[in-house]
Amino acid sequence: MTKLTIATQPIAGQKPGTSGLRKKTPVFMGPHYLENFVQAIFDVVGCAGKTFVLGGDGRYFNDRAAQVILRMAAANGAARVIVGQGAVLSTPAASHLIRLNKTDGGIIMSASHNPGGPKEDFGVKFNMPNGGPAPEGVTEAMYKRTTEISEYHIWESQDVDLGKIGRQSLGGMIVEVVDPVTDYAMLMESLFDFKAIAAMFSGGFRMRMDSMCAVTGPYAVEILENRLGAAKGTVVNAVPLPDFGGMHPDPNPTWAHALMDEMFGQNPPDFGAASDGDGDRNMVVGAGIYVSPSDSLAVLAANAHLAPGYAKGIAGVARSMPTSAAADRVAKAMGLECFETPTGWKFFGNLLDAGRVTICGEESFGTGSDHVREKDGLWAVLLWLNILAVRKQSVAQILAEHWAKFGRNYYSRHDFEAIETAKADAMMAELRGSLAGLAGREIEGMQIAAADDFAYTDPVDGSVSKAQGVRIMFADGSRIVLRLSGTGTEGATLRLYLERYSAGPQGLDLDPQQALAPVIRAAHTLAAIATHTGRSEPDVIT
Ligand code: G16
C-alpha cells in the first residue's frame, strides 16, 4: 500500500448549501469531484491524528464514496475512523456517535429526503465535534479551499471490509466498524419511558411506521418492534435500498401518500409516522388527522416534560424563521425563551450547546432536542409515543386541546420546483426592492404591519447571517415568507410559507388551505409569482 498525492484542479460550484454539498450522483462520481471536496474538508478542519465518524444513508454510491473517504482519511494521517456497518448511519445516529466518542467530527453521506440512484442525488457534509452540521464560516472556508485546490492525498489499497464489525487497519489508521443501531437505541431508552410505551402497545395500540425504503428501517424495527413490542410488520418499507425502491423518501403528505391513505382510511391505526432518506425528518399522523410539523413542534414543547429525559422541563425553544409561531405561543405561556433562526439545523447548534434551548424544530418536518445536534425523526416519533402513553388520549384529542389552549396557527408551505434560476432570482430581487414601501398597505382585507429580509444575529457568538428570506407580517398575525431553497439540485425552488392565526374558540377546525386562501392570494399578488416564473400552482403543498 502506498500513499498517493494526486494533482487536481478546482471544480466550479462545490459550494455547500443549507446542508452540505448536494449534487446529482453522476456529478459526485465525476473525476476528482468527491476527492476535491473531501480534501477541502480535511484541509480546513485538519486530519492528522484525528478521529472521525463516517456513515451515510445507504443510497447509491454510498458504499464506494465511503471507501474513497476512508482511503483519503488514512492518507491525510487520521488516527481512527468509526464507521457504521456497511457504511450506513442515520444522520442523528452519526451525530450521536460523534458526541459519544468525543471525536473530532464526522462526514455524513446523504442527500437527505431527495431521491437516490445513479441519476438522482448524492451529498456530503461535515459535522463538527459537537455533532452538528458545520456552521457557515466553516463551510465557506471549505468552499474557498475547493477553489484553490491543487492536490489530494489517497492511499492506494483494496477496499476495507465494512461488513465486518470490529477494528481493522488502513495504512496505519484504525477503521472501527460499529453496529449502526445499538448506541442510538440505548440513547432513546435513556430518554423515553419504554415501559409505558410497551404497555400501550401490549394494550392493543396500533401504529404504522413508513421507513420509505430508507435508513430508519433497521432502527425502527429494532426500537419499535423488538424493544417496544409493537406488532411485527408495524414498520413498512423497512429494508433500506440504494434507490429507496424508486420512492421519494420525503415524509410529507405528498410523498408518504400510502401512509396518509391508511391513516385516513377504514379502521386506521392509532398513530402513523414516516421518516426520510437519512432519518432526520419525520411526519406524524393520527387516525384521520394530520399533524403539521409546526404544530408537532409546539405540542412536543408543551408536553416534553412527560418523558423522563425532559422531566425537569425544557430550557427554551427554537424554530426556523419560516416555521409557524405555534411554538412561540407555548414558550410564552410557559415563560421560556424562544428563538427564531434562519433555515437550516446548523443555526440551532450554538443555542443547544449554550443550554439556551432544549427543543428545536423546522416546518420542513424536522424536530429534535439537545440529545444530538441534528434533527431526529425517530426521536420525535418516540416522544409522541411517550406523550400518547402518558396522556392516554388520541392524537386528535391532544391537538384539539392544544389549539383550544393556545389558538391555532394555520400553516402551509407551497413549493415551486425547478424554476429557471435567473427568473427566480429576478422575482426575489424585485420583491426585496419593494419591501420598504409595504408597511401600512392593505391587501386582501389584511393590513401589512412590517416587511423585511430576515437577518439573524447569533445570540451566542454574534455572527450575522443576512438575506435569509423575505417576511411580510400582517397586523392580524398572518404572515408570508418567501425564500429560495438552499438544497435543490435542479434550477431554483421557490418556497412560499403561509400562516394565519386563529385565537379560537371558533375557527379552529377549518381546512388549512381554505383558512389561508386570502394569504395565498396576497402572496401571489405581492411577489408576482406567475408573471416572473410562469407558475400559478405549486408543485408540492405541505
Ligand atoms: C430544506 C428545508 C430546511 C432544512 C433543509 C435541510 O432547506 O427547508 O428547513 O433544514 O432542507 O434538511 P435536510 O437536512 O433534511 O436535507 P431548503 O434550503 O431547501 O429550504
Side-chain angles (χ1 to χ4, degrees):
M1 296 206 302
T2 6
K3 177 178 149 177
L4 302 177
T5 294
I6 311 274
T8 188
Q9 283 180 345
I11 301 170
Q14 293 198 307
K15 193 173 171 62
T18 317
S19 302
L21 184 63
R22 299 247 176 103
K23 294 287 171 198
K24 289 289 171 200
T25 311
V27 174
F28 257 104
M29 293 175 77
H32 306 312
Y33 195 91
L34 172 68
E35 292 85 344
N36 275 14
F37 188 64
V38 171
Q39 188 64 50
I41 293 176
F42 289 146
D43 287 348
V44 168
V45 302
C47 190
K50 299 209 165 177
T51 296
F52 298 110
V53 166
L54 174 66
D57 60 15
R59 70 180 59 225
Y60 185 84
F61 190 50
N62 184 96
D63 49 353
R64 277 166 290 162
Q67 297 288 348
V68 170
I69 295 169
L70 285 173
R71 285 201 277 268
M72 290 186 66
N76 281 279
R80 182 163 67 113
V81 178
I82 300 167
V83 197
Q85 188 177 23
V88 168
L89 283 175
S90 78
T91 291
S95 180
H96 178 50
L97 283 180
I98 291 170
R99 297 165 63 78
L100 183 70
N101 295 285
K102 301 196 168 41
T103 68
D104 300 292
I107 293 179
I108 299 177
M109 300 166 291
S110 170
S112 192
H113 51 288
N114 296 304
K119 294 196 176 131
E120 300 296 350
D121 295 349
F122 194 77
V124 170
K125 73 169 174 175
F126 184 78
N127 279 30
M128 306 296 279
N130 74 346
E136 267 184 348
V138 176
T139 55
E140 272 303 312
M142 288 168 183
Y143 170 57
K144 183 162 177 286
R145 187 71 196 135
T146 65
T147 64
E148 54 198 29
I149 195 162
S150 61
E151 59 181 34
Y152 61 83
H153 311 293
I154 188 162
W155 272 98
E156 189 190 40
S157 68
Q158 294 301 323
D159 283 358
V160 181
D161 181 358
L162 296 180
K164 197 172 76 187
I165 288 184
R167 290 186 163 207
Q168 301 164 56
S169 167
L170 175 68
M173 179 183 86
I174 295 167
V175 178
E176 187 174 343
V177 180
V178 299
D179 179 83
V181 178
T182 309
D183 287 316
Y184 178 82
M186 277 172 65
L187 176 65
M188 293 301 115
E189 285 213 48
S190 75
L191 296 173
F192 301 116
D193 189 344
F194 270 38
K195 263 198 193 143
I197 302 172
M200 182 171 73
F201 277 122
S202 67
F205 182 89
R206 290 186 304 131
M207 173 178 180
R208 174 72 62 233
M209 168 82 207
D210 191 343
S211 283
M212 303 188 87
C213 299
V215 79
T216 59
Y219 294 84
V221 168
E222 173 60 20
I223 294 171
L224 298 174
E225 297 184 10
N226 299 347
R227 299 195 185 201
L228 291 169
K232 295 285 170 213
T234 291
V235 186
V236 293
N237 297 316
V239 178
L241 299 172
D243 66 349
F244 306 124
M247 286 198 211
H248 191 144
D250 195 355
N252 62 43
T254 304
W255 297 115
H257 50 84
L259 176 70
M260 292 298 283
D261 290 349
E262 188 175 0
M263 297 307 297
F264 282 81
Q266 294 284 316
N267 189 24
D270 301 290
F271 185 60
S275 55
D276 72 331
D278 64 332
D280 57 0
R281 295 185 176 204
N282 75 91
M283 176 176 82
V284 294
V285 203
I289 188 160
Y290 165 70
V291 185
S292 84
S294 293
D295 279 342
S296 180
L297 172 66
V299 170
L300 295 183
N303 293 279
H305 61 279
L306 301 177
Y310 307 93
K312 291 197 192 103
I314 58 176
V317 186
R319 63 164 173 87
S320 69
M321 179 273 280
T323 303
S324 95
D328 304 30
R329 298 185 184 277
V330 173
K332 194 166 176 225
M334 295 172 81
L336 300 172
E337 266 198 299
C338 184
F339 298 88
E340 184 177 35
T341 61
T343 295
W345 205 261
K346 59 191 171 198
F347 291 101
F348 296 134
N350 280 344
L351 295 168
L352 290 164
D353 285 347
R356 301 276 291 270
V357 301
T358 308
I359 296 220
C360 312
E362 295 191 283
E363 50 64 44
S364 53
F365 299 83
T367 11
S369 85
D370 58 359
H371 69 293
V372 290
R373 291 295 180 275
E374 288 278 2
K375 52 190 180 266
D376 187 344
L378 274 173
W379 169 89
V381 170
L382 288 165
L383 181 49
W384 263 99
L385 285 171
N386 200 144
I387 292 166
L388 291 166
V390 173
R391 287 186 52 168
K392 301 189 191 329
Q393 290 175 302
S394 68
V395 173
Q397 285 167 326
I398 288 176
L399 277 180
E401 283 186 16
H402 187 93
W403 291 330
K405 184 167 176 189
F406 300 101
R408 180 170 181 184
N409 290 72
Y410 285 100
Y411 186 82
S412 184
R413 182 175 109 184
H414 292 191
D415 287 343
F416 302 78
E417 293 173 348
I419 301 173
E420 224 176 276
T421 306
K423 291 182 178 170
D425 288 343
M427 191 202 83
M428 290 303 291
E430 193 178 290
L431 181 62
R432 287 189 159 106
S434 73
L435 293 179
L438 287 185
R441 245 183 81 180
E442 202 182 291
I443 183 160
E444 295 289 338
M446 302 178 300
Q447 208 190 0
I448 300 176
D452 68 1
D453 192 354
F454 182 60
Y456 177 69
T457 304
D458 188 299
V460 180
D461 68 15
S463 59
V464 177
S465 303
K466 290 187 176 154
Q468 296 296 318
V470 167
R471 300 190 293 184
I472 299 161
M473 276 88 65
F474 295 88
D476 68 355
S478 301
R479 194 177 69 145
I480 295 167
V481 172
L482 293 104
R483 57 179 284 280
L484 299 182
S485 159
T487 60
T489 52
E490 218 181 328
T493 296
L494 166 66
R495 302 207 194 282
L496 168 62
Y497 309 83
L498 306 141
E499 179 171 359
R500 190 170 195 192
Y501 180 65
S502 166
Q506 265 101 46
L508 290 180
D509 54 2
L510 303 175
D511 168 70
Q513 300 305 318
Q514 259 172 4
L516 290 165
V519 187
I520 297 170
R521 286 195 297 270
H524 279 268
T525 307
L526 290 169
I529 297 173
T531 315
H532 281 283
T533 68
R535 309 278 187 85
S536 48
E537 295 298 326
D539 299 288
V540 179
I541 296 182
T542 49

